[in-house]
Amino acid sequence: MGTLTVYELLKREIESLPEALAEEAFDFILFMKARRAEESFLWQQIEETRSYRQQHPEEVMTVTSEEWDTFTSHLEDDV
């Protein structure tokens, strides 16, 4: 028999797990899928923002840390 693929090895391992461990493995797989989907969504948002900023450079404001503190000081009062 030839070399098994990762999928085949994983399937074999899962089939040999007791039910409780299989549930944990399933939960972990769902977690990994959700994390990948979230990361993909966040990268999409980053790319869309980058593209928008390149198309609208007049809307991009660059400030120093002191200016940022001044602009956002009112936010600290709300906390």
Side-chain angles (χ1 to χ4, degrees), residues 39-71:
E39 288 174 357
S40 177
F41 171 77
L42 292 174
W43 278 114
Q44 177 186 355
Q45 296 299 306
I46 289 168
E47 289 300 320
E48 287 175 9
T49 300
R50 184 185 62 75
S51 176
Y52 181 86
R53 287 182 174 182
Q54 284 179 337
Q55 294 172 13
H56 303 90
E58 71 282 356
E59 295 180 16
V60 177
M61 180 188 295
T62 304
V63 296
T64 64
S65 61
E66 291 81 18
E67 291 170 327
W68 178 258
D69 289 341
T70 301
F71 293 145

Side-chain angles (χ1 to χ4, degrees), residues 2-41:
T3 306
L4 295 175
T5 66
V6 172
Y7 178 77
E8 292 167 333
L9 290 170
L10 183 58
K11 187 175 177 182
R12 243 187 220 180
E13 288 296 322
I14 289 172
E15 288 172 348
S16 70
L17 291 176
E19 186 69 23
L21 220 50
E23 287 178 19
E24 286 185 47
F26 181 66
D27 286 344
F28 183 67
I29 290 168
L30 292 178
F31 165 76
M32 290 188 315
K33 288 174 71 174
R35 186 179 68 184
R36 171 91 29 117
E38 180 181 20
E39 288 174 357
S40 177
F41 171 77

